[in-house]
Amino acid sequence: MLMMCAVTVSAKDDPLTVKVVYNGTTATVTIPDDIASYVTVSSGTSSHVVITSSTESEEFIYDLSGSSDDGEFCLNGKYKCEIDLSGLTLTNPTGPALNIQNGKRIAISSKKETTNTLTDGNNKDYNGCIHCTGHLEFKGKGVLNIVGNSKHAIYSEEYVEIKNLTLNITGAKKDGIHCKEYFLMESGNVTISNTGDDGIQCDLAGETSTGELADHEDEDTGNVYQLDGKLIIMGYGGEAIKADGTIEYRGGTHEFDTSTGISVANTSTPNGDAVVYDLSGRRVANPTRGIYIHNGKKVVIK
């Protein structure tokens, strides 16, 4: 089923994939017959696409491609889903490029051998070029470029995870990535540059930390984890990484000043020199595994 255009969906198409193709000031939305009763398009052929999903049991895929310098993708729903970026260049001069009003898990996949670019414009109602009220899991073997001209480049009201993706945040008025609960980089290549405030800021969503949980399910710590991959943060106005919890490097490589470019809440050091202290304020000559204070910042040695 095609909204607003007379195009037939062939039987070989994925029955759970909604396709959105941008072309300047218009967009074509194709919905398979199997799920047409659960997907509503209220934007017509406009390049500012607004879709509402009523499913509470099926994980739909939204495949976005094409180009528009005055468009957006707005998704309303209550069930987890995946957004595939398949060669998308999308600029919204008046708001987020991706506006995800869904409190569940949203997987954003930059498809292999594609380059995708998202840019937002000034607005007072949203917090990011990608604005999500749920939690974001970035993946894929393609490239995703993001510019946040209004506030943050990526904003999530819950956690952010990154796997395999090549992510380039080339500018943000505030933070490159701003999330709550926790930030986890499993693998991939992430470069964040030219941010007005922090490269990555991770807040504790509630008032009390859960502590780290197995598989991070339902975890709310304000922690930042790097397990593998390459993380580069440069040209930031605040801190490279700012966390309400701890910052842990368990693998991979990172390029930024870890002694002065990080900030962790509620920590202090007896002196401003470069020696290392344990959490009781005792000087440690040869730190091993554990949590320490260095230059007024909490660091974790694994």
Side-chain angles (χ1 to χ4, degrees):
M1 178 182 178
L2 180 73
M3 301 304 297
M4 302 298 178
C5 296
V7 175
T8 302
V9 178
S10 66
K12 66 180 181 180
D13 286 327
D14 187 330
L16 297 180
T17 298
V18 176
K19 294 186 177 181
V20 181
V21 180
Y22 291 88
N23 184 11
T25 58
T26 64
T28 301
V29 180
T30 304
I31 305 172
D33 286 330
D34 289 356
I35 63 173
S37 61
Y38 299 101
V39 178
T40 302
V41 180
S42 57
S43 53
T45 59
S46 168
S47 55
H48 287 259
V49 176
V50 180
I51 292 179
T52 300
S53 170
S54 61
T55 183
E56 295 184 3
S57 60
E58 296 282 1
E59 185 171 350
F60 296 164
I61 299 172
Y62 301 88
D63 185 274
L64 313 183
S65 63
S67 177
S68 175
D69 59 6
D70 187 4
E72 70 174 308
F73 180 72
C74 179
L75 179 63
N76 303 295
K78 297 180 180 180
Y79 195 75
K80 61 184 178 179
C81 66
E82 178 172 324
I83 298 173
D84 289 350
L85 307 180
S86 302
L88 175 70
T89 300
L90 188 61
T91 297
N92 184 1
T94 57
L98 302 186
N99 181 8
I100 306 165
Q101 298 296 311
N102 184 327
K104 301 299 184 179
R105 188 272 289 145
I106 308 298
I108 297 181
S109 177
S110 188
K111 306 309 289 183
K112 186 177 180 181
E113 298 181 352
T114 69
T115 297
N116 305 278
T117 301
L118 304 175
T119 307
D120 73 346
N122 290 327
N123 71 89
K124 62 180 181 179
D125 297 322
Y126 301 100
N127 293 319
C129 181
I130 297 179
H131 177 103
C132 181
T133 60
H135 34 279
L136 291 170
E137 295 182 2
F138 290 92
K139 60 181 183 177
K141 295 186 177 180
V143 177
L144 175 56
N145 304 314
I146 304 177
V147 179
N149 288 313
S150 182
K151 294 180 183 178
H152 314 302
I154 296 172
Y155 172 81
S156 171
E157 290 190 3
E158 297 178 4
Y159 66 75
V160 168
E161 294 186 357
I162 296 174
K163 184 177 182 179
N164 294 328
L165 182 70
T166 296
L167 172 63
N168 301 310
I169 295 175
T170 57
K173 187 173 182 180
K174 291 190 174 181
D175 302 331
I177 298 174
H178 188 114
C179 62
K180 301 178 181 180
E181 295 186 351
Y182 67 89
F183 172 86
L184 171 65
M185 181 174 174
E186 292 190 32
S187 59
N189 294 279
V190 176
T191 301
I192 302 173
S193 60
N194 302 317
T195 62
D197 201 350
D198 306 316
I200 298 171
Q201 180 172 335
C202 184
D203 300 332
L204 181 68
E207 296 182 357
T208 304
S209 171
T210 61
E212 184 179 352
L213 301 177
D215 299 322
H216 305 286
E217 186 174 355
D218 297 323
E219 177 180 329
D220 182 11
T221 58
N223 288 354
V224 172
Y225 308 97
Q226 183 183 1
L227 307 186
D228 205 343
K230 187 173 184 178
L231 175 61
I232 300 173
I233 306 177
M234 55 188 176
Y236 44 88
E239 309 283 354
I241 300 178
K242 184 177 181 180
D244 277 353
T246 63
I247 301 170
E248 302 188 18
Y249 311 108
R250 300 178 180 178
T253 61
H254 45 272
E255 295 183 10
F256 50 89
D257 189 342
T258 56
S259 64
T260 61
I262 64 174
S263 176
V264 183
N266 301 319
T267 64
S268 62
T269 182
N271 299 296
D273 54 18
V275 298
V276 175
Y277 299 88
D278 66 16
L279 296 183
S280 296
R282 296 171 297 194
R283 184 167 177 166
V284 180
N286 298 299
T288 55
R289 296 178 63 184
I291 303 174
Y292 300 89
I293 304 296
H294 178 256
N295 275 345
K297 317 296 181 183
K298 187 183 292 185
V299 295
V300 178
I301 299 177
K302 287 287 183 177

